[in-house]
Amino acid sequence: MDNEERLKRAVEFLKERKSFKVGDLLLEDNENNFNVIGWSNYQFIENLSRQNALIELSEIKNLFKMMVEINTELKLFVANKNIIYELNCDVGKSACLICREKNNEIFWT
């Protein structure tokens, strides 16, 4: 399945308030907020600096923006939503939130 097809399927799931993974991102819709979640390339959180976390968060944002540019349905779906970008660290069977960006403001955990 190509990216365009996967994004169309993602929008169908998101309309039903179900999360959907597209490539390296997990997309979630929560009423007025739309969460774009990505994971750090660092295996150990203690090796991740704030500067590197901001770079990875920027990569998440850029990847999502590319998705929106290539898929009109997704672009319309998120048009009036607050987009929240999250960077997580994979810790086995769960994830640890590193930082979140909402309205161009970074929140660290």
Side-chain angles (χ1 to χ4, degrees), residues 20-28 36-42 48 56-57 59-60 86-91 94-98:
F20 198 87
K21 190 166 185 194
V22 180
D24 292 332
L25 301 180
L26 180 65
L27 308 177
E28 297 178 334
V36 179
I37 303 166
W39 289 265
S40 176
N41 292 317
Y42 287 81
L48 179 62
E56 289 188 323
L57 188 64
E59 291 170 354
I60 290 167
E86 292 186 2
L87 175 65
N88 289 283
C89 185
D90 189 7
V91 287
S94 64
C96 175
L97 178 64
I98 297 167

Side-chain angles (χ1 to χ4, degrees), residues 4 13-15 17 22 26 36 46 71 84 87-88 91 94 98 106-107:
E4 183 70 25
F13 273 74
L14 293 165
K15 285 179 180 177
R17 300 271 191 261
V22 180
L26 180 65
V36 179
E46 59 269 11
N71 188 281
I84 300 171
L87 175 65
N88 289 283
V91 287
S94 64
I98 297 167
I106 305 289
F107 301 92

Side-chain angles (χ1 to χ4, degrees), residues 35-85:
N35 297 331
V36 179
I37 303 166
W39 289 265
S40 176
N41 292 317
Y42 287 81
Q43 290 183 339
F44 301 102
I45 195 167
E46 59 269 11
N47 295 332
L48 179 62
S49 67
R50 281 188 179 220
Q51 181 180 0
N52 287 336
L54 290 173
I55 291 169
E56 289 188 323
L57 188 64
S58 178
E59 291 170 354
I60 290 167
K61 291 171 61 176
N62 290 335
L63 183 56
F64 181 69
K65 287 176 185 176
M66 287 180 4
M67 289 179 185
V68 170
E69 286 175 10
I70 65 170
N71 188 281
T72 306
E73 290 177 61
L74 181 59
K75 185 176 188 173
L76 292 172
F77 187 76
V78 300
N80 296 317
K81 296 183 183 288
N82 295 315
I83 299 178
I84 300 171
Y85 300 95

